[in-house]
Amino acid sequence: MQDACGKRLKNRLKMLSFACVMELYIENMVCDRCIMAVENLLRKAGYTPVDVRLGAAEIAETPDTGQLDELAARLDELGFRLLRDRDSRIT
């Protein structure tokens, strides 16, 4: 069983193998179950999660506006909110 640091390092090394990584900021992620739910949602939506952590996820794709709208709707169904602009990420 890997510890958190080992998993994070593995994810970072995996991220380096992708040419383009997009970071998504997601509100209302508060626990490990939230991380698992978002990671599963991304996979089911056809994305490759590189790193998922509280408040953010990195994917190996660059979705267009329509795809982001669909992703936002799916996240909303689970009680999360995709933060699209810089101002909404500031607390």
Side-chain angles (χ1 to χ4, degrees):
M1 185 166 155
Q2 282 186 320
D3 63 3
C5 292
K7 183 177 180 185
R8 193 164 199 69
L9 177 60
K10 181 179 175 185
N11 286 341
R12 288 289 174 196
L13 291 173
K14 185 178 176 184
M15 181 176 66
L16 292 174
S17 67
F18 294 106
C20 181
V21 174
M22 181 175 191
E23 186 155 24
L24 305 169
Y25 295 94
I26 304 166
E27 189 176 58
N28 298 331
M29 292 179 70
V30 296
C31 65
D32 289 342
R33 187 182 179 291
C34 295
I35 292 170
M36 183 182 66
V38 169
E39 186 170 357
N40 288 338
L41 180 146
L42 291 170
R43 288 186 194 285
K44 286 180 183 176
Y47 298 104
T48 307
V50 176
D51 185 33
V52 181
R53 59 195 179 282
L54 294 179
E58 294 174 346
I59 57 174
E61 296 81 17
T62 305
D64 62 27
T65 303
Q67 292 168 320
L68 284 174
D69 289 342
E70 185 176 326
L71 183 58
R74 288 182 180 205
L75 286 166
D76 189 57
E77 289 173 4
L78 294 180
F80 304 112
R81 185 168 73 106
L82 182 63
L83 303 176
R84 295 187 183 213
D85 59 65
R86 189 175 198 281
D87 291 338
S88 65
R89 293 190 305 247
I90 298 172
T91 57

